[in-house]
Amino acid sequence: MKLAIFDLDGTLVNSLADIAEATNYAMRILGFPEHELSEFNYLVGDGVAKLIERALPVENQDKFDEALSLYNNYYNKNYTVKTYIYDGIEKMLNTLKEKGFELAVASNKTHEFTENVISYYFGDELFTEVFGKSEGNPVKPSPAIVDNIMDKLNISKENTVMIGDTCIDIKTGKNAGIKTIGCLWGFRTLEELVNAGADYIADKPLDIVKYLCE
C-alpha cells in the first residue's frame, strides 16, 4: 500500500456537535423543530445538501436554499468551536507519513470547509491531496473523488486504501475497486461497516498502521 485516503467527519475529527449547532441554528431561524445531537449520526454523511434536506420538515423543502445559506454562514464562523481530533489520529497519520505513505482526504463536506478544517487541525503539509464536494461533481459513494486522487498521484488501485466510519466510505472504496478499512470510533456502527463489506475493521487509529504495515 502506498496511498491512504481518509474520510474527514467521523474519521479524522469529531465534528458532529458543530454541524448540529449550524443545522439547528438554520432550523431555529426558520421556525422549524431542532434535532437532538444523536440524530446527526444519520443526518450526516451524504453532503450538506442532503443534511439540510433531511433536517427540514418534508412539507417545507421550499425553504432549502434559505436553510442552506443560514447553515453555511453559521458553520463558516463556528466550525472549530466543538470539533476535535480523535485520540490517536495524529500519531497514526504521522506514523504512516514516516513510513512513506501518501495521505489524502475525500469528504462529502463542501470542498471549502474540508480544506479549512484540514488546514486548521492538521496544517498544510500532512495531506498531499484534500478533496471535498465541489459543484457539478458526484458525492461519495461515487468513486469519482477517489479516482481523481489516484490519478493525480499516479498510484494504482492495488496500492490504495479507503478509510472511513460509514457504509458510504466503504461503498466508495468498493466502487473504486480498492481495499477498505472501517473505523469504529466514528458516527456509525460495526454492523453497518461489516454489512457494507469493509475489508478490515479498526477499533482504534493505530490498528490502521497495523493493517497497512505488518
Side-chain angles (χ1 to χ4, degrees), residues 5-6 8 15 18 22 33 73 89 104 118 121 131 133 144 168 208:
I5 303 177
F6 292 87
L8 176 56
S15 52
D18 283 331
N73 289 336
I89 288 293
I118 289 296
Y121 287 97
F131 284 97
K133 170 68 175 75
I168 298 162
I208 294 169

Side-chain angles (χ1 to χ4, degrees), residues 175-211:
N175 291 338
I178 62 178
K179 292 290 187 182
T180 58
I181 299 176
C183 305
L184 291 185
W185 54 85
F187 300 158
R188 303 286 178 86
T189 64
L190 171 62
E191 182 182 21
E192 175 175 319
L193 295 169
V194 169
N195 288 343
D199 294 294
Y200 303 97
I201 298 293
D203 288 310
K204 56 188 183 298
L206 283 179
D207 287 344
I208 294 169
V209 176
K210 179 179 69 175
Y211 292 143

Side-chain angles (χ1 to χ4, degrees), residues 33-196:
E34 298 180 39
H35 298 273
E36 296 293 332
L37 180 61
S38 59
E39 295 179 63
F40 284 87
N41 286 292
Y42 288 92
L43 290 175
V44 303
D46 294 288
V48 67
K50 271 292 181 186
L51 166 63
I52 297 302
E53 178 186 315
R54 290 165 178 163
L56 282 168
V58 174
E59 65 274 17
N60 296 113
Q61 293 295 317
D62 59 314
K63 296 293 186 179
F64 174 86
D65 290 341
E66 192 174 353
L68 179 61
S69 179
L70 287 166
Y71 172 94
N72 284 334
N73 289 336
Y74 186 96
Y75 190 72
N76 189 46
K77 299 170 185 170
N78 297 280
Y79 65 87
T80 62
V81 175
K82 297 180 179 179
T83 294
Y84 60 89
I85 303 172
Y86 287 107
D87 288 343
I89 288 293
E90 290 175 292
K91 183 176 182 180
M92 177 269 294
L93 293 173
N94 288 324
T95 301
L96 290 179
K97 195 76 171 179
E98 290 166 5
K99 291 180 177 294
F101 278 79
E102 295 283 4
L103 307 179
V105 174
S107 176
N108 278 344
K109 197 184 205 76
T110 305
H111 183 68
E112 177 187 359
F113 289 149
T114 300
E115 287 190 316
N116 289 347
V117 170
I118 289 296
S119 180
Y120 182 88
Y121 287 97
F122 299 99
D124 299 318
E125 304 299 324
L126 192 58
F127 294 96
T128 307
E129 298 291 342
V130 176
F131 284 97
K133 170 68 175 75
S134 55
E135 191 67 31
N137 293 313
V139 297
K140 300 181 295 184
S142 165
I145 191 170
V146 169
D147 289 340
N148 192 17
I149 292 170
M150 290 190 291
D151 288 344
K152 286 180 74 73
L153 297 178
N154 194 30
I155 295 177
S156 70
K157 296 180 179 182
E158 291 75 22
N159 297 123
T160 303
V161 61
M162 179 72 207
I163 301 160
D165 68 304
T166 75
C167 64
I168 298 162
D169 304 306
I170 305 307
K171 290 175 181 176
T172 301
K174 296 295 181 185
N175 291 338
I178 62 178
K179 292 290 187 182
T180 58
I181 299 176
C183 305
L184 291 185
W185 54 85
F187 300 158
R188 303 286 178 86
T189 64
L190 171 62
E191 182 182 21
E192 175 175 319
L193 295 169
V194 169
N195 288 343

